[in-house]
Amino acid sequence: MPATRSNGPPVLEDLSDLSPLIAATTQWLTGAYPAAGGALASVLCEMQARQAVTAAAWLRYPTPVDAALVGMAGPGGSARLDWITGADGGGAADPETYAWRTWVDEVVASWAACLLTDPELAGRAVAALAGAGAAGTPVEFRRLIAPDDTDRTAAALLRHPDLLAPVAALHRAQLRDLLERGSALAA
């Protein structure tokens, strides 16, 4: 799986190795901070969460080696996130129902929460990815960096800074440091 380098950190062109992590972390975020409204709102909320999680995952695991390592070792799961949001222990007795939670990445969820609640930070993150030659372009992250009123209404909980503060605070300093120094954080 080739990586691209262009005045920045190498970034995956193929996210297939990160897709279970992205899917699980997106599912966790949209479960913890659900959409406000019907089916369209749920889709718009999920799209925003997925864009934030994708950007965070690309920043967190910028090389094929990083992606392979997290694929082998696993990202750690949602236990601490569940505890912070008050969802710990819910349904843990049924491992098949909650097996996806083992693929939730706490750092990626925290960074995604930062991106969802801080437009300036989201813009910097997407610019860093674009400058590094990421497969995604800023246009692919439009719902993250330039949500319209419908997006904001659909993801009112997902983008609420006070509600996401405990999750965002976990690894915000690490994300800011990464974006300030302009290099990729090794997994």
Side-chain angles (χ1 to χ4, degrees):
M1 174 175 9
T4 313
R5 183 182 290 273
S6 170
N7 296 334
V11 180
L12 292 175
E13 289 180 357
D14 177 9
L15 287 181
S16 60
D17 286 348
L18 293 175
S19 59
L21 181 150
I22 290 170
T25 306
T26 299
Q27 184 174 346
W28 184 86
L29 275 171
T30 56
Y33 306 97
L40 177 60
S42 292
V43 169
L44 292 174
C45 184
E46 181 179 346
M47 288 173 70
Q48 293 173 71
R50 185 168 304 275
Q51 288 181 7
V53 169
T54 298
W58 285 6
L59 289 168
R60 176 79 169 139
Y61 304 107
T63 69
V65 172
D66 294 326
L69 288 173
V70 76
M72 287 175 24
S78 67
R80 184 172 175 201
L81 295 168
D82 291 338
W83 179 78
I84 288 171
T85 59
D88 68 318
D94 184 6
E96 287 189 32
T97 303
Y98 291 93
W100 64 269
R101 290 178 178 271
T102 63
W103 280 98
V104 174
D105 187 299
E106 177 185 306
V107 174
V108 171
S110 177
W111 287 7
C114 292
L115 300 179
L116 287 161
T117 58
D118 186 338
E120 185 268 331
L121 200 58
R124 288 176 50 206
V126 170
L129 290 171
T137 62
V139 109
E140 293 177 35
F141 294 101
R142 188 207 54 84
R143 292 195 189 283
L144 172 62
I145 60 174
D148 61 22
D149 289 338
T150 305
D151 292 325
R152 281 194 217 43
T153 300
L157 298 177
L158 184 66
R159 287 187 169 271
H160 196 289
D162 294 336
L163 295 177
L164 267 75
V167 174
L170 290 172
H171 302 282
R172 178 183 288 119
Q174 200 176 26
L175 175 61
R176 286 187 185 277
D177 183 51
L178 171 73
L179 293 175
E180 284 173 14
R181 69 175 193 254
S183 64
L185 177 67

